[in-house]
Amino acid sequence: MNIGEKLRSLRQRNNLTQKELADRCELSKGFISQLESNQTSPSLSTLEDILTTLGSSFHEFFSDEQSDNPICRKEDVFVKETDGGVTIHWLMTNAQKKDIEPIMVTLSPGARTETDLPHMGEEFGHVLAGAVMLRLGEKSYRVRKGDSFSYKPTTQHYLENTGKTPATVIWVCTPPNF
């Protein structure tokens, strides 16, 4: 985290000059300038005074910067290709800090995802292309393009492409588990 840049941005959003902020916090303009250029670090009490003056708090200031941005750009998507013909696209950054975790899985013919052990939560999927077998414990379900599935993951489970064409599935897990 670039503390100086974040402080500068917060100060500018409050329409304050460095001098005005320094005066309100009983600091020097030079100190504020050094903070914003990351040439010095404030004590916790000084940072708290600055944040209070700027109408913020430690929690707001140090919260994940991406949590305010609802967009995950394609260049931010993490992609993992396995030797077994499975490609996974994590569709949301920092999913471990969220309540859900959506992925897009592409399975080559004959490929299958890793077996997921039972866990708390719920899972949902929607087949975008091809068809897959949803394996839930001893039961199997054929899910075709346009079909969806949802279940509580109380047994081992995985997806398998038993067809002759690639299959693509949007798969969402809560809480994050993939």
Side-chain angles (χ1 to χ4, degrees):
M1 170 184 280
N2 186 333
I3 291 176
E5 185 176 303
K6 202 162 180 182
L7 281 172
R8 179 183 303 114
S9 175
L10 192 55
R11 175 183 57 78
Q12 289 172 341
R13 273 189 270 147
N14 280 275
N15 295 314
L16 293 175
T17 66
Q18 287 181 342
K19 173 117 175 66
E20 290 169 330
L21 177 59
D23 289 345
R24 291 180 187 191
C25 295
E26 298 180 1
L27 300 167
S28 71
K29 178 188 175 293
F31 182 75
I32 298 296
S33 177
Q34 288 178 339
L35 277 179
E36 291 183 358
S37 61
N38 291 309
Q39 294 175 344
T40 191
S41 298
S43 67
L44 289 176
S45 62
T46 299
L47 181 58
E48 183 178 30
D49 289 344
I50 293 170
L51 292 176
T52 300
T53 300
L54 295 173
S56 188
S57 66
F58 281 120
H59 175 74
E60 291 169 352
F61 187 75
F62 289 107
S63 69
D64 185 4
E65 294 174 31
Q66 292 188 358
S67 65
D68 294 333
N69 187 352
I71 307 301
C72 178
R73 301 287 177 203
K74 62 184 173 185
E75 56 269 13
D76 296 327
V77 171
F78 176 73
V79 179
K80 175 184 172 185
E81 293 183 30
T82 69
D83 293 335
V86 177
T87 303
I88 302 171
H89 292 79
W90 276 266
L91 301 175
M92 185 169 65
T93 56
N94 295 322
Q96 66 277 11
K97 297 180 182 177
K98 311 278 185 184
D99 294 329
I100 62 169
E101 182 175 22
I103 62 173
M104 182 170 61
V105 180
T106 301
L107 300 124
S108 299
R112 61 173 270 187
T113 62
E114 292 182 20
T115 300
D116 205 4
L117 297 175
H119 57 88
M120 294 184 56
E122 294 185 56
E123 296 193 17
F124 166 84
H126 179 78
V127 179
L128 299 173
V132 294
M133 291 297 290
L134 170 63
R135 310 284 189 181
L136 299 175
E138 300 297 318
K139 296 182 180 179
S140 297
Y141 303 90
R142 183 123 177 106
V143 191
R144 296 177 180 86
K145 178 181 177 180
D147 293 344
S148 298
F149 57 85
S150 65
Y151 57 92
K152 291 197 180 282
T154 57
T155 61
Q156 292 185 0
H157 50 284
Y158 61 93
L159 295 179
E160 183 176 12
N161 182 350
T162 58
K164 295 180 181 176
T165 61
T168 302
V169 178
I170 296 289
W171 200 354
V172 181
C173 179
T174 180
N177 189 52
F178 293 118

